[in-house]
Amino acid sequence: MCGIVGFTGSAPAAGILLDGLKRLEYRGYDSSGMALNRPEGLLCLRAVGKVCKLAEKVAAAPEELRRSCCGIAHTRWATHGAPLERNAHPHLDQSRRFAIVHNGIIENYQALRKRLTEKGCEFSSDTDSEVLAHLIAETYRGDLLAAVAAALKQVSGTYGLAVTTSLEPGRIVVARRGSPLVIGLGDGENYVASDVAALIAHTRQVIYLTDGEVASVTPEHVEIRDLDNLPVEREATGIDWDVSQAEKGEYPHFMLKEIFEQPDALANTIRGRLDFEMGTSILNGMNLSPRDLAAIPRIVIAGCGTSMHAGMVGEYYFEDIAGIPTRVEQAAEFRYRNPIIEPNTMVIPISQSGETADTLAAVREAAAKGALVTAICNVVGSTIARESGRGVYLHAGPEIGVASTKAFSCQVAVLLMMALLLGRNRRLSRTEGLALAEEIAKLPELVRQVLDRADSIRDIARRFAQYDNFFYIGRGCLHPTALEGALKLKEISYVHAEGYHAAELKHGPISLLDERHPVLALANDIPGKDKIIGNIQECIARRAPVLAVANPGDAGVRDLGCDVIEVPRSSRFIAPIPTAVALQLFAYYVAAERGCEIDQPRNLAKSVTVE
Ligand code: M6R
């Protein structure tokens, strides 16, 4: 949600910090700030709004202050305290010698604040985070690493934390519990960030901190310890993303770029994972033998938002293709509902970022209950990927747009390949497996065909952009696809959109239909289409404008007189992917027509690292 970046080296820090913050803006923001460390004192600048507001302040600061070569910075997404300048990070202690930036929530901050206030500390913000600056100043005895560790022992809650003090120029101390923190390794300079996207312009060698660790970062050294001051050895990890993948290039928005990247992203997801000899898939990261796979009695999928919708498509796959009873849990609910995990139950957490707090909590609960936790993540080395221990990466490249697009397609493709593997391990014949593998291999081309129709989708979207309410309806695997399409529309265009199973409309929601309330119906030519056509007729009879997704040449749908978005013909298992791509384009063009801030929709953050 909030973003952290820090730099220490011999180059001016301010520009590097600003660049890192801009790369993190997609995580969510309402204010930003930086603290530059110089022996003569810290310089702290903060601004409400986008990072460009902070950049204006940096540009106006005296030249000598901009020459500092060490600093920490932050983009804030408000939790405790309104988005005001005094609540923006960094926060300083009373002596103004210690600056902190913090992601997460300090749960016992009220008690700590009371104690510190009684001791004479004056607080200048409404945040939970500020207590950390005062605590660290209180525990400091000449070693920032030791002070941070001692302070954090008094704290409950979650943190990704970066701290600097004018008493130790050139040094940054970072810590993590429940909120990601990564150290980027340079030559005579080092970086810290909450997200590798902030670092890849400078280095691809990173060290991920794990929970309960503190690290000292200077231009020449990185030293990791646990909270009891015991040294921790950690190998650096190589990142295979390049800078251009994290930039918009010629596209007006990351979202559009990422929609158009889907043929390549899917090709990367699928590459080397289909076995056309045996009619199965090869998913080495699952690290399960055929005997292990055969012993799985049940699958539970946990995810949030788009990732949960992908999981709902996967539920159809695992039951239909592999015959394994499957249920999908909203990840936040998983640990509170005391789920039944039998021996060998496979729990599949799905998370693009690999950092979503609710999904991570589900991973921990599942692991504690002895499940086979097998994650589907995009970000290599992310917390969920690491803690799950086994899983399948998407290899979709960085997804920067807050609205998840290519991650959904690639998650669904991975779930289909998992179902193929499990199916072949059980009841699917080689011939059936081969047919499915061949269909999966064609996914990049199918999606390319949808993208070729972007102009016609844009024209339709412009006509529908005037409406303030939508229903999206679908059946079978296209029911979760409808949910996902509705989520896309509401999150970036602020148009109220609800996804329903098509059969559900007449059980209540249909009462809302009239000529101002369109219905987007997924009427692909797959089993259930006849029923959807009946549902479309019910909507038309209530004067609702209907926009159908259908296959080329499908007279049955066109004869109803509704507008049509065409997607290429495919089997029911494949259909969610090209259909979702068409819905992503539709949402994008509606939002563009309505003049919305597509990559940074209001109130949203890319990575939701608080519960
Ligand atoms: O990184 P994750 O996949 O765990 O994120 C889960 C959701 O927060 C995410 O999919 C969210 O719903 C997107 N903004 C949807 O576009």
Side-chain angles (χ1 to χ4, degrees):
M1 313 205 69
C2 309
I4 288 175
V5 56
F7 169 76
T8 179
S10 53
I16 294 169
L17 296 177
L18 276 177
D19 178 63
L21 289 184
K22 282 182 191 147
R23 292 176 189 277
L24 291 182
E25 256 187 320
Y26 71 92
R27 288 178 67 100
Y29 65 91
D30 50 50
S31 51
S32 59
M34 67 170 66
L36 298 169
N37 191 345
R38 307 163 317 135
E40 59 269 45
L42 299 176
L43 168 68
C44 183
L45 300 169
R46 303 186 291 188
V48 173
K50 292 193 171 193
V51 174
C52 59
K53 297 287 175 205
L54 179 66
E56 286 167 15
K57 288 199 170 176
V58 170
E63 186 62 27
E64 65 182 284
L65 297 179
R66 272 188 274 141
R67 280 204 297 266
S68 164
C69 297
C70 173
I72 55 176
H74 191 262
T75 56
R76 176 169 188 254
W77 187 90
T79 55
H80 294 61
L84 305 171
E85 189 169 321
R86 70 166 191 274
N87 291 331
H89 298 218
H91 293 292
L92 304 183
D93 76 307
Q94 217 162 319
S95 72
R96 300 187 68 80
R97 289 181 302 184
F98 296 85
I100 66 104
V101 292
H102 166 235
N103 291 351
I105 294 175
I106 303 303
E107 287 164 1
N108 60 338
Y109 84 98
Q110 283 169 315
L112 290 168
R113 186 171 173 138
K114 183 164 179 288
R115 179 180 71 70
L116 288 160
T117 307
E118 282 165 6
K119 237 184 110 184
C121 276
E122 281 177 22
F123 280 75
S124 52
S125 79
D126 313 317
T127 68
D128 54 325
S129 306
E130 190 185 344
V131 292
L132 293 169
H134 297 289
L135 273 181
I136 292 164
E138 183 186 51
T139 50
Y140 187 77
R141 303 280 180 277
D143 176 3
L144 187 60
L145 185 76
V148 171
L152 291 178
K153 283 190 163 179
Q154 302 177 49
V155 158
S156 60
T158 55
Y159 48 79
L161 176 69
V163 189
T164 195
T165 172
S166 56
L167 301 171
E168 299 183 38
R171 191 182 197 195
I172 298 171
V173 169
V174 289
R176 117 159 232 173
R177 181 160 78 199
S179 196
L181 213 300
V182 57
I183 301 168
L185 306 178
D187 187 9
E189 58 188 30
N190 286 310
Y191 303 80
V192 302
S194 51
D195 190 322
V196 288
L199 305 179
I200 50 175
H202 306 287
T203 178
R204 313 273 165 72
Q205 287 297 307
V206 302
I207 293 176
Y208 292 99
L209 279 198
T210 65
D211 280 356
E213 291 176 350
V214 214
S216 166
V217 181
T218 64
E220 302 294 343
H221 291 108
V222 172
E223 181 191 355
I224 307 175
R225 295 189 169 260
D226 65 19
L227 289 186
D228 293 322
N229 208 25
L230 295 171
V232 174
E233 291 299 323
R234 176 78 30 80
E235 293 284 309
T237 306
I239 302 293
D240 61 1
W241 294 350
D242 66 46
V243 185
S244 67
Q245 284 180 296
E247 286 171 353
K248 279 191 289 207
E250 77 229 35
Y251 289 91
H253 298 101
F254 278 111
M255 181 180 178
L256 192 63
K257 176 177 182 245
E258 287 158 8
I259 291 173
F260 273 85
E261 278 174 352
Q262 286 177 104
D264 289 342
L266 281 162
N268 289 337
T269 299
I270 294 164
R271 185 170 299 116
R273 287 172 163 171
L274 292 173
D275 177 347
F276 295 101
E277 185 60 39
M278 297 297 288
T280 187
S281 53
I282 306 160
L283 300 170
N284 293 330
M286 286 178 71
N287 204 13
L288 294 169
S289 69
R291 189 182 288 260
D292 295 332
L293 292 173
I296 295 170
R298 227 151 60 84
I299 293 174
V300 181
I301 299 172
C304 302
T306 291
S307 296
M308 180 181 70
H309 293 154
M312 291 168 76
V313 178
E315 184 178 15
Y316 283 90
Y317 294 163
F318 290 124
E319 298 204 331
D320 201 336
I321 298 170
I324 303 176
T326 303
R327 63 174 290 152
V328 180
E329 292 281 356
Q330 208 294 340
E333 203 54 39
F334 186 88
R335 66 176 158 162
Y336 296 114
R337 76 196 312 268
N338 199 12
I340 298 163
I341 303 293
E342 299 150 317
N344 299 320
T345 294
M346 184 156 77
V347 171
I348 306 178
I350 306 180
S351 174
Q352 185 286 128
S353 61
E355 302 293 349
T356 299
D358 288 325
T359 313
L360 179 58
V363 168
R364 290 176 177 161
E365 180 70 16
K369 284 188 150 56
L372 291 174
V373 184
T374 307
I376 298 178
C377 292
N378 190 35
V379 179
V380 175
S382 55
T383 310
I384 290 171
R386 280 184 287 119
E387 292 205 10
S388 298
R390 61 164 64 86
V392 184
Y393 281 120
L394 303 184
H395 300 309
E399 190 182 69
I400 310 284
V402 168
S404 188
T405 53
K406 60 180 177 176
F408 178 81
S409 306
C410 296
Q411 286 163 345
V412 172
V414 165
L415 287 160
L416 191 49
M417 289 190 286
M418 280 178 139
L420 171 60
L421 178 69
L422 286 157
R424 285 288 289 125
N425 184 257
R426 290 149 190 259
R427 62 188 191 178
L428 212 61
S429 70
R430 179 179 169 279
T431 313
E432 290 168 314
L434 198 55
L436 188 50
E438 280 168 356
E439 282 195 282
I440 295 171
K442 288 187 192 134
L443 269 169
E445 177 50 30
L446 278 188
V447 167
R448 204 165 280 125
Q449 289 173 29
V450 178
L451 298 175
D452 287 345
R453 296 185 172 105
D455 287 352
S456 92
I457 297 174
R458 185 194 56 214
D459 293 344
I460 291 173
R462 284 181 177 161
R463 290 206 302 281
F464 277 83
Q466 53 166 312
Y467 296 107
D468 293 324
N469 295 288
F470 274 79
F471 285 157
Y472 281 54
I473 58 171
R475 288 172 174 262
C477 300
L478 293 181
H479 167 225
T481 313
L483 301 184
E484 174 57 13
L487 174 62
K488 286 291 88 84
L489 188 67
K490 68 187 138 198
E491 72 180 323
I492 58 165
S493 70
Y494 317 139
V495 169
H496 173 237
E498 293 302 327
Y500 283 103
H501 190 282
E504 195 58 28
L505 269 198
K506 54 184 162 301
H507 296 286
I510 201 167
S511 66
L512 292 172
L513 292 188
D514 61 19
E515 64 281 356
R516 296 294 311 152
H517 198 307
V519 176
L520 196 156
L522 305 184
N524 308 47
D525 195 5
I526 57 175
K529 188 187 101 179
D530 293 347
K531 302 252 185 294
I532 278 275
I533 288 194
N535 300 133
I536 292 176
Q537 280 164 331
E538 291 157 9
C539 299
I540 291 173
R542 272 87 189 166
R543 304 188 312 282
V546 174
L547 172 57
V549 173
N551 299 135
D554 194 329
V557 177
R558 288 196 178 271
D559 288 349
L560 298 170
C562 45
D563 283 285
V564 173
I565 292 176
E566 284 188 352
V567 296
R569 203 167 284 278
S570 67
S571 77
R572 68 189 193 284
F573 295 134
I574 296 292
I577 295 178
T579 305
V581 174
L583 299 184
Q584 293 162 3
L585 283 170
F586 178 74
Y588 175 83
Y589 288 123
V590 169
E593 183 68 13
R594 291 172 76 102
C596 300
E597 287 216 48
I598 292 175
D599 279 337
Q600 290 152 345
R602 70 182 179 216
N603 303 338
L604 291 182
K606 179 69 178 163
S607 225
V608 183
T609 50
V610 293
E611 270 192 77

